[in-house]
Amino acid sequence: MIETYSIWNLHGEQLDHASSSNATRMDSVEPIVDPNDQVMDIIEDVFPFASTNINDEREDDVPTPIDSAEFEQYEKLLKNANQELYPRCESFSVLTAIVELMHGKIKYRMSNLCFDYFLGVFKRMLPTDNCLPKDHKHAQKVLNGLGWGYEKIHACKNNCMLFYMEHETLDTCLICNESRFKMTSQNRTTKIPQKVMRYLPLKPRLQRLYMSTHTATDMRWHKEKWVDDDVMRHSANGEAWKEFDRTFPDFAADPRNVRLGLATD
């Protein structure tokens, strides 16, 4: 329980004065987990059928068919997960090092330029035969197989519209007539967009939540572990959720169906 948690006494929770006054504060101790094992768990979550076919050698089981492109991605990730960052390095594999560094980049809002600089410094610090990627672009290519990519969609410089779907081939904005691309020298053939929106597809990310054994049970909590005791612990305790279930009983019957709320503000 977080230290700043407040008792919601107006929603049915009761404050146990005796237990709270005599409670002994204990520092939370996080279990020591091998980062290489964590990365292997991620790969098995993303490619459950591939890992089953590779590891399961029982003759009576029929192997599950796997898409060739998907299996190729799996093999590349598995190779990077098993390859040492440099000879006799037991702490980090290539994939583990990339995941750790990319996590720090996102957590501390590091720019690509800054990340490239420090990645180059780290690469020079390590033995010369290390396998660390030289920049963010090459590190991102290694992680593409995990399905955490995004789609680039060109946008109007003034945010009037997206050059998407039926407007994908346009070169000027329909609203303000602003050019889609930047002005470049005549000898340059590459068109550089004025503005790019990065779209993170929702569907594969929801699928990932059900692929992982760690999060699949949480996605079904509202159906399998929810208790109706007049205490507001979850959205499922709210009247809006219950009314939705009564209105759409077929949808509510399957605990894997997701009630998704989106907000732009």
Side-chain angles (χ1 to χ4, degrees):
M1 183 65 69
I2 58 176
E3 295 180 1
T4 56
Y5 179 76
S6 300
I7 299 297
W8 285 20
N9 58 335
L10 299 180
H11 293 266
E13 294 189 23
Q14 301 298 323
L15 177 62
D16 188 349
H17 294 280
S19 61
S20 62
S21 60
N22 297 327
T24 304
R25 288 190 58 185
M26 298 180 62
D27 295 332
S28 59
V29 180
E30 296 185 359
I32 300 176
V33 182
D34 187 351
N36 293 314
D37 292 339
Q38 286 183 320
V39 168
M40 290 303 298
D41 288 342
I42 293 174
I43 295 177
E44 291 179 2
D45 286 339
V46 176
F47 301 100
F49 300 114
S51 58
T52 301
N53 283 12
I54 293 297
N55 298 325
D56 198 348
E57 298 179 353
R58 291 177 297 179
E59 296 179 357
D60 56 341
D61 286 344
V62 178
T64 306
I66 309 172
D67 180 76
S68 58
E70 184 178 4
F71 188 72
E72 184 179 351
Q73 288 182 338
Y74 169 76
E75 284 190 316
K76 289 181 180 179
L77 287 170
L78 197 61
K79 178 183 177 181
N80 287 316
N82 292 323
Q83 184 177 7
E84 296 176 340
L85 184 60
Y86 55 86
R88 295 180 299 279
C89 175
E90 300 179 357
S91 302
F92 288 94
S93 67
V94 175
L95 186 59
T96 305
I98 295 175
V99 170
E100 291 275 358
L101 291 171
M102 293 292 281
H103 176 254
K105 175 186 183 301
I106 296 171
K107 184 176 181 180
Y108 298 106
R109 302 179 182 181
M110 191 183 300
S111 68
N112 291 353
L113 192 63
C114 179
F115 185 79
D116 287 348
Y117 171 77
F118 282 107
L119 201 61
V121 172
F122 294 152
K123 192 169 181 64
R124 294 196 301 272
M125 288 180 177
L126 296 174
T128 55
D129 51 354
N130 72 82
C131 301
L132 190 69
K134 62 180 181 179
D135 54 26
H136 175 263
K137 182 179 180 180
H138 287 80
Q140 189 68 45
K141 285 183 178 179
V142 177
L143 298 181
N144 284 342
L146 293 175
W148 295 338
Y150 53 83
E151 181 181 351
K152 292 183 179 180
I153 302 176
H154 295 179
C156 171
K157 179 182 179 180
N158 299 318
N159 303 319
C160 301
M161 60 171 286
L162 297 174
F163 296 96
Y164 185 62
M165 298 182 71
E166 67 270 17
H167 304 313
E168 189 173 2
T169 58
L170 298 180
D171 289 336
T172 57
C173 176
L174 294 175
I175 310 301
C176 65
N177 293 323
E178 187 70 35
S179 175
R180 174 179 179 174
F181 302 101
K182 295 180 180 179
M183 298 296 295
T184 58
S185 58
Q186 294 181 355
N187 58 354
R188 187 164 186 171
T189 58
T190 304
K191 292 184 177 181
I192 303 176
Q194 298 266 24
K195 184 174 289 188
V196 177
M197 183 192 77
R198 287 164 176 81
Y199 167 61
L200 281 66
L202 178 62
K203 187 175 179 179
R205 282 162 172 78
L206 289 176
Q207 291 173 336
R208 288 284 182 267
L209 293 175
Y210 285 104
M211 287 181 178
S212 172
T213 55
H214 306 291
T215 54
T217 54
D218 293 335
M219 295 295 290
R220 304 189 305 269
W221 184 93
H222 65 277
K223 187 76 172 182
E224 298 174 352
K225 297 184 180 181
W226 171 74
V227 178
D228 189 5
D229 56 358
D230 295 328
V231 177
M232 190 69 176
R233 294 190 180 94
H234 187 271
S235 302
N237 297 105
E239 190 58 34
W241 188 294
K242 297 176 183 177
E243 177 62 25
F244 183 90
D245 286 355
R246 289 191 291 266
T247 306
F248 304 101
D250 294 338
F251 181 92
D254 191 338
R256 296 169 299 178
N257 285 334
V258 181
R259 295 156 181 80
L260 184 67
L262 296 179
T264 57
D265 189 345

